[in-house]
């Protein structure tokens, strides 16, 4: 899920699915999706368009690539981004430190636990927060970290494995260049001023990392990895496991699974980019299914406009044929969480 609530109580004693599986315990009620029929696990594969970042950057080569970007983001809300400046071996290192962290003993991981009482909000290691009694829990362990240098809380940055912090720092620097290029290209693909999305993203745009670990789960028909949702961000960069699939997108009421391209980053439109583009770019509903044979990891980096920035549909995207679909809004994440908790689609809250 995109962002969890800072203000809600956390049940810290909750056992992870991993512990339950290792102990041979029965899965507790709140992990079981009673309305799941299991029949939808084996869904068709979708070929998400592959976009080459190198080609997007240069005026002479970008035309066709921009066209591809626009068409993919306005249908699937997603691209597989290649040639983004990070080598396959660097991406493997990022995956490797993620796996190593989650493989640590529980006491070691809990050194980085989310603190329910402090103002640190969602940052830290843990399971899902309990937001409401009705909530169905996701079968995942997560580590949330704020990446922006000035807002870093190093107490949540694992020192084990030793290279974790350095690698995450490098990854942050590289992604902050990529986000600028992507937001610029998105504007160009719609014939807008280069900076229009970047200006709304603002100088205080925030990057939050969500490391996910999906343990092997004996009943993928009953337990979901991450429940269906859209992301609250403007853009999410998802580094998928290089071998194990699990992510699915919904389009026209049908689920599709996303293939793995190990050297690519999956770029997903979040609700805030849908709002800024007046609905042209689509924030896709997605979920993660569990796997009975193999564990899976992923790393989502959510790029969020600064909380003090007002975001809203770009004026030039509003006209008679395309009326304004969304209100202007500040701190969309708090609205998102309120709606998410009520199991409503958050973007509905800002529809006109
Ligand atoms: C998320 C998400 C997908 C994945 O964290 O919001 O959608 O493949 N993750 O883990
Ligand atoms: Ni997501």
């Amino acid at each position: 899920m995109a962002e969890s609530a800072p203000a809600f109580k956390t049940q810290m004693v909750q056992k992870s699915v991993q512990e339950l599986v290792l102990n041979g315990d029965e899965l507790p009620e709140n992990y079981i999706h009673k309305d799941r029929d299991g029949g939808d696990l084996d869904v068709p594969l979708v070929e998400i368009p592959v976009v080459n970042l190198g080609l997007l950057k240069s005026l002479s080569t970008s035309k066709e690539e921009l066209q591809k970007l626009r068409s993919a983001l306005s249908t699937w809300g997603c691209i597989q981004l290649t040639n983004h400046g990070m080598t396959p071996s660097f991406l493997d290192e990022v995956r490797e430190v993620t796996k190593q962290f989650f493989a640590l003993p529980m006491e070691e991981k809990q050194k980085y636990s989310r603190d329910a009482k402090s103002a640190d909000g969602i940052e830290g290691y843990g399971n899902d927060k309990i937001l409401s009694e009705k909530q169905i829990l996701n079968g995942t362990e997560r580590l949330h970290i704020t990446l922006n240098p000035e807002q870093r809380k190093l107490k949540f940055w694992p020192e084990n494995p030793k290279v974790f912090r350095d690698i995450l720092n490098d990854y942050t620097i590289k992604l902050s260049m990529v986000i600028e290029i992507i937001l610029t290209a998105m504007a160009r693909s719609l014939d807008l001023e280069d900076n229009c999305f970047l200006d709304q993203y603002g100088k205080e745009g925030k990057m939050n990392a969500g490391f996910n670990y999906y343990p092997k789960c004996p009943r993928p028909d009953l337990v979901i990895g991450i429940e269906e949702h859209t992301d609250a961000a403007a853009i999410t960069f998802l580094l998928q496991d290089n071998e194990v699939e699990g992510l699915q997108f919904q389009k026209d009421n049908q689920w599709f699974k996303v293939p793995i391209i190990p050297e690519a980053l999956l770029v997903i439109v979040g609700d805030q980019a849908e709002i800024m583009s007046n609905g042209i770019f689509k924030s896709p509903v997605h979920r993660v299914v569990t796997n009975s044979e193999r564990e899976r990891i992923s790393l989502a980096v959510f790029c969020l406009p600064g909380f003090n920035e007002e975001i809203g549909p770009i004026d030039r995207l509003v006209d008679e044929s395309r009326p304004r679909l969304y209100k202007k809004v500040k701190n969309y994440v708090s609205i998102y969480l309120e709606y998410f908790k009520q199991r409503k689609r958050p973007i509905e809250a800002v529809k006109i």
Side-chain angles (χ1 to χ4, degrees):
M1 210 213 85
E3 292 290 301
S4 317
F8 300 105
K9 266 195 290 181
T10 315
Q11 189 182 321
M12 296 302 286
V13 288
Q14 186 191 322
K15 279 195 188 170
S16 68
V17 169
Q18 184 185 26
E19 284 175 286
L20 295 166
V21 171
L22 288 175
N23 296 343
D25 291 350
E26 287 272 307
L27 291 168
E29 276 274 288
N30 49 358
Y31 278 106
I32 307 282
H33 286 231
K34 293 207 182 58
D35 51 356
R36 298 206 70 196
D37 57 12
D40 55 3
L41 284 176
D42 197 18
V43 301
L45 201 75
V46 53
E47 288 303 328
I48 304 281
V50 178
V51 172
N52 179 323
L53 188 82
L55 297 181
L56 282 180
K57 280 193 286 195
S58 123
L59 281 179
S60 59
T61 54
S62 62
K63 200 159 177 270
E64 207 177 302
E65 221 54 17
L66 286 173
Q67 179 60 38
K68 218 199 278 180
L69 178 76
R70 174 186 179 150
S71 132
L73 297 188
S74 48
T75 50
W76 290 100
C78 176
I79 54 167
Q80 299 266 21
L81 186 69
T82 57
N83 197 10
H84 40 58
M86 290 179 249
T87 62
S89 64
F90 177 69
L91 295 182
D92 279 343
E93 278 183 283
V94 178
R95 293 181 177 107
E96 195 50 38
V97 294
T98 306
K99 286 182 191 158
Q100 286 172 3
F101 172 77
F102 286 113
L104 293 173
M106 194 47 92
E107 313 88 76
E108 182 65 22
K109 290 188 275 192
Q110 282 176 341
K111 287 187 189 159
Y112 306 99
S113 281
R114 207 164 45 212
D115 175 355
K117 288 185 221 75
S118 87
D120 292 325
I122 65 155
E123 266 195 88
Y125 167 78
N127 308 112
D128 269 3
K129 285 197 167 188
I130 313 280
L131 302 180
S132 72
E133 268 177 36
K134 275 193 250 144
Q135 186 173 350
I136 294 161
L137 298 177
N138 295 318
T140 170
E141 283 177 43
R142 315 196 88 189
L143 171 66
H144 275 286
I145 300 181
T146 297
L147 300 178
N148 303 58
E150 60 290 353
Q151 294 156 11
R152 279 184 192 174
K153 299 206 178 76
L154 279 180
K155 66 176 179 183
F156 296 121
W157 287 57
E159 286 182 286
N160 190 352
K162 272 208 160 46
V163 289
F164 190 104
R165 288 183 174 184
D166 284 345
I167 290 191
L168 187 57
N169 190 48
D170 283 357
Y171 191 60
T172 305
I173 295 170
K174 291 180 170 135
L175 275 189
S176 22
M177 295 191 266
V178 179
I179 182 72
E180 281 205 36
I181 301 168
I182 287 290
L183 289 174
T184 309
M186 282 163 64
R188 278 193 197 155
S189 80
L190 299 174
D191 294 321
L192 301 169
E193 302 281 319
D194 276 7
N195 281 345
C196 65
F197 291 129
L198 267 177
D199 286 347
Q200 292 208 14
Y201 184 66
K203 294 205 165 35
E204 282 159 32
K206 219 176 154 204
M207 297 210 305
N208 286 348
F211 294 82
N212 297 300
Y213 172 67
Y214 307 92
K216 272 193 278 193
C217 171
R219 297 296 304 270
D221 55 332
L222 294 177
V223 178
I224 194 83
I226 301 188
E227 206 191 341
E228 63 178 75
H229 67 281
T230 57
D231 289 349
I235 291 292
T236 304
F237 291 107
L238 185 77
L239 181 66
Q240 292 205 81
D241 195 290
N242 49 2
E243 291 179 355
V244 185
E245 288 167 354
L247 177 62
Q248 301 186 346
F249 280 95
Q250 193 180 46
K251 192 169 185 292
D252 307 326
N253 285 322
Q254 156 92 52
W255 288 101
F256 296 89
K257 65 179 168 192
V258 177
I260 295 168
I261 302 182
E263 72 276 16
L265 289 172
L266 205 65
V267 179
I268 305 173
V269 172
D271 285 357
Q272 300 200 58
E274 175 162 336
I275 295 169
M276 294 191 274
S277 70
N278 199 24
I280 293 179
F281 297 140
K282 300 283 184 293
S283 170
V285 174
H286 54 286
R287 68 179 184 186
V288 180
V289 296
T290 50
N291 186 310
S292 59
E293 259 126 56
R294 302 191 65 183
E295 51 187 26
R296 175 176 186 270
I297 54 104
S298 70
L299 168 55
V301 173
F302 305 104
C303 300
L304 296 148
F307 288 172
N308 297 316
E309 294 306 325
E310 185 173 70
I311 66 138
I314 306 280
D315 285 338
R316 281 196 40 208
L317 298 177
V318 179
D319 59 29
E320 271 160 30
S321 67
R322 175 171 280 279
R324 181 179 298 274
L325 291 181
Y326 300 109
K327 296 176 210 156
K328 290 187 177 157
V329 55
K330 267 190 194 175
N331 195 358
Y332 176 72
V333 173
S334 64
I335 298 174
Y336 177 98
L337 291 169
E338 206 40 53
Y339 264 57
F340 188 82
K341 200 171 64 173
Q342 298 169 33
R343 303 184 67 99
K344 292 198 248 173
R345 177 131 201 250
I347 205 166
E348 298 291 329
V350 293
K351 274 215 171 121
I352 286 179

